[in-house]
Amino acid sequence: MAKVYDFPDMHGHFGSYGGVFVAETLITALDELRVQYEHYRNDVDFQAEYAYELKSYVGRPSPIYHAKRWSAYLGGAQILLKREDLNHTGAHKINNTIGQALLAKRMGKPRVIAETGAGQHGVAAATVAARYGMECVVYMGSEDMKRQETNVYRIKLLGATVVPVDSGSRTLKDALNEAMRDWVTNVEETFYIIGTVAGPHPYPMMVRDFQAIIGREAKIQMQEEYGRQPDTLIACVGGGSNAIGLFFPYIEDKNVNMIGVEAAGLGIKTGKHAATLLTGKPGVLHGNRTYLIQDEDGQIIETHSISAGLDYPGVGPEHAWLKDTNRAQYVAITDDEALAAFHMMCCYEGIIPALESSHALAYAAKLAPTLDKEKLLLVNLSGRGDKDIDIVAQAASIIS
Amino acid sequence: MSRIAATFHTLSQNNRKALIPFITAGDPEPTMTVLLMHELVSVGADIIELGVPFSDPMADGPTIQRSYERALKNHVGLKDVLEMVAEFRRTNTVTPVVLMGYANPVEVMGYQRFAVRAKECGVDAVLTVDYPPEECEEWLENLKQKKIDAIFLLSPTTPQTRIQQIAKRAQGFVYYVSLKGVTGAAHFDLREVANKLADIRSYVSIPIGVGFGIHDDVTASAVAELADAVVVGSRIIEVIEKSAKEDVLMNVSNLVKSLRNAIDKVSIKHRTAGIKR
């Protein structure tokens, strides 16, 4: 009998990846979190409340939509979209923040903190903090704050405080460093809501579990609506939470291909990209061992992507494991390719996708024409693109 | 006996406490690091903690992060830091050097390669902030083979059972992080430190150093009353940062002299008290 996929192990390891690489000051807090989460993940009341919130507050289940016109235009496989963009707050991020906020509430923590890159996780964290009456502080790189002004305003509207981070490259990784520092300092009353499947154990597992609702729903919907499962799953990968959410329930279904799409930025050869799994080497950052974009001295290098949500030099440790074991394949899409897919989605389907999700769409647009019409590609449309229209407008005027 | 054990042995025979200043290798300039190390020794440093610059120092405050950023601008990496220790050792074979840094640079260099090279260069101990004991068996094995001490952190939130586990692995001295927070934070509760140190002493037989938050003579002497070693980092880095380049050596020297006096007053007070008894 085939071995059942049961990662991570009790220490949070996915093979040699994952783990708990943090300073001693955080160990006790992480132990407490792990114990509490292990308890509540099997707690019927907790799971019932989580399910109810997803239904009544987020609007789940999110539908699977057949992009017929676009598929016909591409002239190959059928492209199906898992519509996470239709969730409350406009992205998959809220699946996770609701779960963690409910946990924070049960652990008696009145204050939550979060890091954010594109601002989607910050918005999702601020939203649930307002929903459950918690104090919320969001750390955001000052560079990202410029790129994502609307989301900064949104977070403030929701009653949260945004703290600009001016250290390092002033992007997501630096926001994460700063949030960790806050947590170390205020560890007793504060719950740190990490937005992706990175960080020290139990975060990669916990965030995955909360995001796995995406794949679990998809499995049921595919069976009901198409009578079978998709041939290939496609999702963008920055830290990798929307991808793991879709992939995880399918890991044992070996006839379903899984493709993670990283950001090739201005092109892999230019060095200005965020394709961690394709170009990085294993190392330790932000509490876990994983692939990292780094120099020969082990210093983390600044990444580039037109999409702030993919602009991260690390990647969730489970993706590192899925890559090494060849269970998932990873590819990269440039800024320009993502922009082209963005525009196609607008014009052919009347959907404005997030620039992050546009990377997954762009790869689907490459793959679909090479396959016959009966094949089904399920693309995770992880977020909507309203937040990105200024960037797209700017890029369009540069191009035209 | 290792250099660290010998240092603490001599100190305790003379009823003195250790002063451990921290500087970042390559800050403000690579050429100044070895000069600074010698200067620190000449004004009373017993052990030198040398920071290995890292791009994402999660457990450090803004002051030390800025010093890492200055060093990285000077392209100082782990290999260069080891070279600096080797240069220091050419004229000083007595003062222990502890490297303090993060896991990723050693992950990239490789455990064995690091251990071999660090030994050759004269490194005595390594404190890797984000290698808690449960994640670094292989790393510890490599250090052990080269007789390099692995120094571990203990924090206000470390429970007793864990102190016992860490005590089994800790070598050289243990480093008690005196407050919840990052390096250079301001708040500091002396009574809390005293209580926790008493707790730690019941499990740990090697010397205990205390760091994080020691920023002047008063806090230094207060900590010297309780611990075997006083670690001062951010305060020194602050002086380096604010000084004109030609004044760095002198200003750091004056600061450390003053800290040394503050710490020694404590020891002398104790000695007199002992004689009276």
Side-chain angles (χ1 to χ4, degrees), chain B residues 141-161:
Chain B
E141 196 44 52
N142 277 284
L143 293 179
K144 203 172 144 191
Q145 277 177 20
K146 289 287 155 194
K147 295 198 172 65
I148 296 172
D149 288 340
I151 291 177
F152 284 104
L153 296 169
L154 292 172
S155 89
T157 54
T158 310
Q160 285 192 353
T161 47

Side-chain angles (χ1 to χ4, degrees), chain A residues 338-389:
Chain A
L339 280 168
F342 177 99
H343 288 295
M344 279 201 278
M345 191 49 35
C346 292
C347 296
Y348 280 91
E349 300 294 346
I351 295 172
I352 302 176
L355 280 174
E356 290 78 11
S357 322
S358 298
H359 285 70
L361 294 168
Y363 189 73
K366 273 188 179 176
L367 184 62
T370 69
L371 303 169
D372 48 75
K373 291 190 167 63
E374 284 70 46
K375 295 286 183 191
L376 299 178
L377 307 182
L378 179 59
V379 180
N380 199 4
L381 187 55
S382 54
R384 65 174 182 229
D386 307 48
K387 68 181 175 66
D388 293 319
I389 52 177

Side-chain angles (χ1 to χ4, degrees), chain B residues 26-169:
Chain B
D27 173 41
E29 275 176 6
T31 49
M32 285 199 69
T33 301
V34 176
L35 291 174
L36 265 169
M37 290 169 80
H38 287 304
E39 185 65 26
L40 290 171
V41 173
S42 77
V43 292
D46 298 297
I47 296 174
I48 290 176
E49 213 174 271
L50 194 57
V52 181
F54 182 51
S55 52
D56 294 78
M58 234 166 53
D60 284 294
T63 306
I64 289 184
Q65 172 155 27
R66 281 198 303 274
S67 80
Y68 283 172
E69 282 171 7
R70 285 191 296 271
L72 288 174
K73 230 176 234 172
N74 295 326
H75 306 289
V76 174
L78 181 54
K79 278 175 241 155
D80 308 294
V81 179
L82 291 173
E83 290 303 321
M84 289 172 187
V85 178
E87 197 189 324
F88 173 75
R89 279 276 170 261
R90 266 176 225 140
T91 44
N92 182 324
T93 55
V94 185
T95 310
V97 175
V98 179
L99 294 192
M100 180 158 179
Y102 290 79
N104 202 48
V106 293
E107 292 263 317
V108 170
M109 184 179 274
Y111 298 160
Q112 202 190 0
R113 221 178 112 212
F114 171 82
V116 169
R117 189 72 195 121
K119 190 70 195 179
E120 284 169 3
C121 294
V123 170
D124 299 281
V126 186
L127 197 176
T128 314
V129 178
D130 48 355
Y131 272 154
E134 42 281 84
E135 292 287 5
C136 62
E137 284 302 327
E138 201 190 326
W139 166 242
L140 294 181
E141 196 44 52
N142 277 284
L143 293 179
K144 203 172 144 191
Q145 277 177 20
K146 289 287 155 194
K147 295 198 172 65
I148 296 172
D149 288 340
I151 291 177
F152 284 104
L153 296 169
L154 292 172
S155 89
T157 54
T158 310
Q160 285 192 353
T161 47
R162 198 173 157 80
I163 296 175
Q164 291 172 48
Q165 287 163 7
I166 293 174
K168 282 183 207 148
R169 293 186 175 86

Side-chain angles (χ1 to χ4, degrees), chain B residues 107-245:
Chain B
E107 292 263 317
V108 170
M109 184 179 274
Y111 298 160
Q112 202 190 0
R113 221 178 112 212
F114 171 82
V116 169
R117 189 72 195 121
K119 190 70 195 179
E120 284 169 3
C121 294
V123 170
D124 299 281
V126 186
L127 197 176
T128 314
V129 178
D130 48 355
Y131 272 154
E134 42 281 84
E135 292 287 5
C136 62
E137 284 302 327
E138 201 190 326
W139 166 242
L140 294 181
E141 196 44 52
N142 277 284
L143 293 179
K144 203 172 144 191
Q145 277 177 20
K146 289 287 155 194
K147 295 198 172 65
I148 296 172
D149 288 340
I151 291 177
F152 284 104
L153 296 169
L154 292 172
S155 89
T157 54
T158 310
Q160 285 192 353
T161 47
R162 198 173 157 80
I163 296 175
Q164 291 172 48
Q165 287 163 7
I166 293 174
K168 282 183 207 148
R169 293 186 175 86
Q171 298 159 319
F173 61 95
V174 294
Y175 186 138
Y176 179 65
V177 176
S178 54
L179 46 83
K180 293 180 215 78
V182 293
T183 52
H187 49 283
F188 192 85
D189 183 340
L190 212 55
R191 191 160 358 147
E192 212 177 273
V193 175
N195 288 339
K196 194 72 183 185
L197 284 194
D199 224 20
I200 294 172
R201 288 234 191 258
S202 56
Y203 304 109
V204 173
S205 52
I206 56 178
I208 304 171
V210 171
F212 282 39
I214 298 164
H215 55 269
D216 56 14
D217 295 353
V218 177
T219 41
S221 68
V223 166
E225 295 262 9
L226 307 167
D228 304 303
V230 181
V231 187
V232 185
S234 298
R235 182 72 193 102
I236 295 174
I237 302 296
E238 236 171 63
V239 167
I240 291 176
E241 188 167 52
K242 285 181 185 154
S243 300
K245 268 181 196 148

Side-chain angles (χ1 to χ4, degrees), chain A residues 20 24 28 181 289 294 300, chain B residues 57 60 104 107 135 157 162:
Chain A
V20 184
E24 183 59 31
T28 303
R181 290 171 181 148
R289 184 179 281 126
Q294 52 182 321
I300 308 307
Chain B
D60 284 294
N104 202 48
E107 292 263 317
E135 292 287 5
T157 54
R162 198 173 157 80

